[in-house]
Amino acid sequence: MTPPRITAEAHLRRMADVLDEARQDPSPDVPPMSLLYGLQRLVPCECVSFSELDVPARVGFNDRDTVDEEDDAPMEAYWRWRHQHLQCEQVAQPHDSPETTQMADFLSVRELRNLPIYTEFLRPTPTIADIALPTAPGRTRVFQLFRKEGQPFKDHEMTTLRLLAPHLYEIYKEGTRRHRPPVRLTLRELDVLRCVARGMSTPQIAAQLVVSTSTVRKHLENAFGRLGVSSRTAAVARVFPEAEVL
């Protein structure tokens, strides 16, 4: 029996319901898992994930997905062959607003099958749609929807994701404001961390602020202590969860 056709109006109501559910979710997770499951209902797929990466440091954080099993894909294979993942390369480019792409925009499944990134990491779900949120240079912040090969995302599904994208970004920002405790740093420590968030090195920061490199390091050490973190990436993520504050 053929399932009933969903009208455009009904689909818009379902989209609004998913967004409302996420906004009312009391979970401290940012974004809440209810949003990932809601996306999976709107655009059926094998898995929906959210993750943030520090690309230069090759470190992932704030990872979650809708699949209960352990992910067996080795991350070392991802980092080794990441340059072949053209969609990831695009996601890592600076952007001021959410961007929506799918793997087919860059490579066909046939082309992808010939690459090590496919055999060592992406198989068996190489059909990927991304909603990339703005973030600091050198970092990515992205929702991903995964499908088995041979099941590309259709135009109306990509339109759904494009319509949702700015709302997902607002939910992310609302969540960070609601769940993160206030940050108390000196103005100089904030200046230093803003420079770090722009990808500047210690000598570059010293030149920018007209101080010595040892002073920059001291400000960073003090900021790490106040924030309870041990790395530049964690400090930037803690203080500047939203790209526009930079």
Side-chain angles (χ1 to χ4, degrees):
M1 183 176 179
T2 303
R5 186 183 181 90
I6 298 175
T7 65
E9 182 179 356
H11 187 62
L12 288 172
R13 284 199 299 270
R14 291 174 62 199
M15 291 166 61
D17 289 343
V18 166
L19 297 173
D20 286 343
E21 180 184 11
R23 289 192 175 100
Q24 295 171 26
D25 192 323
S27 166
D29 293 334
V30 181
M33 281 299 300
S34 60
L35 183 55
L36 303 190
Y37 287 114
L39 289 174
Q40 195 166 16
R41 292 195 303 271
L42 291 172
V43 181
C45 55
E46 274 64 46
C47 174
V48 176
S49 72
F50 179 84
S51 66
E52 301 188 64
L53 291 180
D54 178 338
V55 177
R58 297 190 171 190
V59 173
F61 52 98
N62 197 17
D63 299 327
R64 62 180 64 89
D65 60 52
T66 59
V67 176
D68 292 332
E69 301 92 29
E70 279 296 319
D71 184 3
D72 295 327
M75 283 304 293
E76 60 267 24
Y78 169 79
W79 291 114
R80 182 164 61 250
W81 302 111
R82 187 178 182 277
H83 62 281
Q84 297 180 344
H85 199 323
L86 302 183
Q87 189 178 19
C88 278
E89 293 290 294
Q90 175 61 32
V91 164
Q93 297 300 311
H95 50 276
D96 298 325
S97 59
E99 291 186 353
T100 305
T101 62
Q102 68 166 317
M103 181 67 81
D105 297 335
F106 306 94
L107 288 171
S108 68
V109 172
R110 177 177 296 180
E111 292 172 316
L112 193 60
R113 283 199 202 106
N114 295 323
L115 300 176
I117 186 72
Y118 171 83
T119 55
E120 295 188 28
F121 186 76
L122 291 176
R123 192 170 55 182
T125 52
T127 305
I128 306 169
D130 280 357
I131 302 174
L133 306 185
T135 186
R139 289 167 53 195
T140 63
R141 177 183 292 154
V142 60
F143 292 90
Q144 292 187 299
L145 292 81
F146 297 89
R147 274 185 180 164
K148 294 179 179 178
E149 61 181 79
Q151 300 179 24
F153 292 90
K154 298 175 182 176
D155 288 345
H156 70 88
E157 292 173 324
M158 294 304 296
T159 297
T160 293
L161 297 180
R162 279 191 288 271
L163 290 173
L164 287 171
H167 302 286
L168 300 186
Y169 187 31
E170 288 302 317
I171 288 172
Y172 180 90
K173 292 189 291 184
E174 289 167 7
T176 58
R177 287 192 291 265
R178 185 166 61 248
H179 295 298
R180 293 175 190 253
V183 177
R184 300 189 183 279
L185 299 177
T186 68
L187 292 177
R188 208 49 161 171
E189 289 164 357
L190 284 170
D191 288 340
V192 169
L193 286 179
R194 285 192 184 93
C195 292
V196 170
R198 293 190 175 100
M200 297 171 68
S201 66
T202 297
Q204 289 171 329
I205 296 172
Q208 174 76 16
L209 301 181
V210 196
V211 297
S212 67
T213 55
S214 60
T215 298
V216 172
R217 293 190 188 97
K218 189 62 178 177
H219 283 313
L220 285 172
E221 180 183 336
N222 291 339
F224 290 176
R226 293 174 191 269
L227 296 170
V229 301
S230 58
S231 71
R232 294 184 177 210
T233 299
V236 169
R238 172 77 171 80
V239 179
F240 303 123
E242 302 165 25
E244 58 263 38
V245 302
L246 302 179

